[in-house]
Amino acid sequence: MAHDYYEVLGVARDAGADEIQQAYRQLARNYHPDVNTEPAAEERFKELNEAYSVLSDPRTRRRYDRYGPEFRQIPEDYDERVGAGAGRAGGPRGRGPRVRVSEDLGEGFGPFQDVGVDLDDLFGSMFGAGGAPGPVRGADQEAEMPLSVEEAYRGGRRSITLSGMQGARTYEVDIPRGVVDGRRIRLAGEGGRGSQGAPAGDLFLRVRITPHPRFRLDGRDIHVQVPVTPWEAALGATVPVPTPDRPAKVSVPGGSSSGRRLRLRGEGMPDPGGSPGDLYAELRVMVPSAPSGRERELFEELAATSDFDPRRQS
């Protein structure tokens, strides 16, 4: 996968949040596996998800802009540690050795390039004024976990491979059913190594639910557009509705117009500890793009017979 997330989305580095979202939505519609069956489309879709999950979050984007693709290997309090170390008695410290760290988050995360980390800056603030280190718990680490709406809805176990200085490791992660965006999944003791027998830190996987070409989330509620024919909207009908888990059906009342929302109670995102959200089906009345001769005759007959005028002021 590409290393520069801005290039992946085709936006400038100073692009605003709306521009980033618009670029992602347009590309996601083109490469979503449900739409594009080309062999490379699924990989490209994963690449887009990873780029968007990083650049759509202001905090994560700042860290990416500052540290590059290896930002996940840098503890979040790195700057605070460096600042504290520079202000201690004894004057500025000498520069310590620089090491190279790298990470490859599998399952759609993509490989990241190397970035230099000054170990003296990174750990110096945790040592005493004399420079003698004591046992130090390993640093907590965090990685983004992009999930589709369907994956978040269903939950389940998922294998994730991370490779860094200690080599590649595969984790089996339990994803809670109905997990929401921003939720952190904790893998105890899987973070940075501690020193002098101190315990290791924890690894946190922060869930990022990626925008979907069909479903839109609002909390635990799911919104989906449902196309209907003019006669279904006019006369009423029972039509299928896609959901992240299984097909459902909704009754369209006669005389419905585009934009009408129909509520399916309890069909939104599940909540094991509470009530599930609802699913809202928004109707879109569609007409044939190339009507047959007979269809055209019927539409012309309807136009000649009906006195309905949606533009008429009531």
Side-chain angles (χ1 to χ4, degrees):
M1 293 188 181
H3 294 161
D4 190 322
Y5 294 144
Y6 292 97
E7 290 184 3
V8 171
L9 295 179
V11 297
R13 302 192 74 83
D14 60 352
D18 290 342
E19 184 179 352
I20 289 173
Q21 184 181 68
Q22 182 179 2
Y24 171 80
R25 288 184 180 278
Q26 182 176 353
L27 291 169
R29 282 195 295 266
N30 294 337
Y31 290 99
H32 193 279
D34 290 346
V35 177
N36 193 327
T37 58
E38 294 182 3
E42 182 175 359
E43 197 67 19
R44 174 68 167 144
F45 186 68
K46 291 180 180 180
E47 194 175 61
L48 293 168
N49 284 342
E50 167 62 11
Y52 183 78
S53 71
V54 172
L55 299 184
S56 63
D57 184 290
R59 179 185 59 84
T60 307
R61 182 180 178 182
R62 283 194 299 270
R63 287 171 51 78
Y64 172 74
D65 288 343
R66 181 163 191 174
Y67 299 113
E70 282 290 359
F71 73 94
R72 291 187 177 92
Q73 291 283 24
I74 311 299
E76 293 193 15
D77 59 350
Y78 173 69
D79 292 333
E80 297 176 7
R81 295 179 184 179
V82 172
R88 285 198 309 270
R93 295 177 284 108
R95 304 296 292 178
R98 296 183 68 82
V99 299
R100 312 298 294 185
V101 297
S102 64
E103 181 182 61
D104 184 355
L105 302 182
E107 297 288 324
F109 288 84
F112 302 124
Q113 295 172 329
D114 289 342
V115 62
V117 178
D118 192 309
L119 294 185
D120 198 20
D121 279 346
L122 185 58
F123 299 111
S125 61
M126 296 184 290
F127 299 159
V136 178
R137 179 183 178 274
D140 290 340
Q141 297 176 344
E142 181 173 306
E144 300 275 346
M145 176 186 283
L147 295 177
S148 67
V149 174
E150 293 90 344
E151 290 172 324
Y153 186 101
R154 299 182 184 120
R157 292 184 68 82
R158 177 176 176 181
S159 296
I160 297 179
T161 300
L162 299 94
S163 57
M165 296 179 65
Q166 311 303 326
R169 297 192 62 180
T170 299
Y171 305 91
E172 291 292 327
V173 182
D174 288 317
I175 300 174
R177 188 170 189 264
V179 66
V180 294
D181 189 82
R183 167 81 177 272
R184 295 203 307 174
I185 300 175
R186 175 173 173 257
L187 303 182
E190 300 294 349
R193 290 183 177 180
S195 66
Q196 298 189 22
D202 299 330
L203 172 63
F204 291 91
L205 301 177
R206 186 179 294 275
V207 172
R208 291 299 177 201
I209 300 181
T210 57
H212 195 282
R214 178 178 295 168
F215 303 114
R216 179 175 62 85
L217 294 184
D218 181 10
R220 293 192 177 274
D221 292 337
I222 300 175
H223 297 257
V224 59
Q225 291 187 337
V226 178
V228 295
T229 64
W231 45 93
E232 288 173 332
L235 304 177
T238 299
V239 299
V241 177
T243 78
D245 186 43
R246 62 188 184 278
K249 291 187 176 181
V250 64
S251 294
V252 178
S256 295
S257 298
S258 283
R260 182 167 187 172
R261 293 197 311 166
L262 305 176
R263 179 184 181 188
L264 282 73
R265 187 183 299 273
E267 293 293 338
M269 291 290 285
D271 184 1
S275 300
D278 299 326
L279 186 142
Y280 291 90
E282 181 177 325
L283 302 182
R284 292 184 61 196
V285 179
M286 309 291 289
V287 299
S289 59
S292 66
R294 179 55 179 157
E295 286 173 329
R296 179 174 293 277
E297 289 178 3
L298 291 173
F299 277 119
E300 290 174 347
E301 181 179 345
L302 176 62
T305 303
S306 176
D307 60 358
F308 173 66
D309 183 358
R311 295 168 294 279
R312 181 183 302 158
Q313 295 295 327
S314 57

